Amino acid sequence: MRWFLAVFILLPLSAQTVLVRNVRVFDGERVWPRTSVLANGGVIRAVGANLEAPAEAEVVDGEGKTLLPGLIDAHTHTARASDLKEALAFGVTTEFDLFSLPATIASLRAIR
């Protein structure tokens, strides 16, 4: 089986409701070949092939794409906010910094 790290859909963590249809999902344990994912407020609310889109939902076509859990980079040296934004663009949602100055890390934690 060929695996693809496809497209990451970056959505703000808000009250926005999003339904991604026809997407391959890797949930950390198994692959759902073609399904839909409903999220609200940055939280997955339902996964299934025949989900109905709520009236307020933005519907995204996930054909040919894969959704997977956020990745963890366990060895980083973060110096700037742009480093974190770049990591997020590649699906890294958690970083373990291994030698940045405490003041640098404190200033990055303050960014929202």
Side-chain angles (χ1 to χ4, degrees), residues 76-80 83 97-105 108:
T76 66
H77 302 281
T78 305
R80 302 172 297 280
D83 295 338
D97 189 281
L98 293 177
F99 199 65
S100 292
L101 296 172
T104 301
I105 297 302
L108 291 173

Side-chain angles (χ1 to χ4, degrees), residues 3-26:
W3 286 87
F4 296 96
L5 269 183
V7 173
F8 293 93
I9 300 169
L10 302 177
L11 301 169
L13 295 178
S14 67
Q16 181 178 7
T17 301
V18 178
L19 178 66
V20 182
R21 291 192 187 278
N22 304 316
V23 68
R24 171 196 254 179
V25 173
F26 175 65

Side-chain angles (χ1 to χ4, degrees), residues 64-108:
K65 297 172 179 63
T66 301
L67 290 178
L68 59 144
L71 303 173
I72 298 170
D73 187 340
H75 185 143
T76 66
H77 302 281
T78 305
R80 302 172 297 280
S82 62
D83 295 338
L84 297 174
K85 290 177 184 176
E86 182 177 275
L88 186 59
F90 286 102
V92 176
T93 59
T94 303
E95 288 197 357
F96 184 71
D97 189 281
L98 293 177
F99 199 65
S100 292
L101 296 172
T104 301
I105 297 302
S107 67
L108 291 173

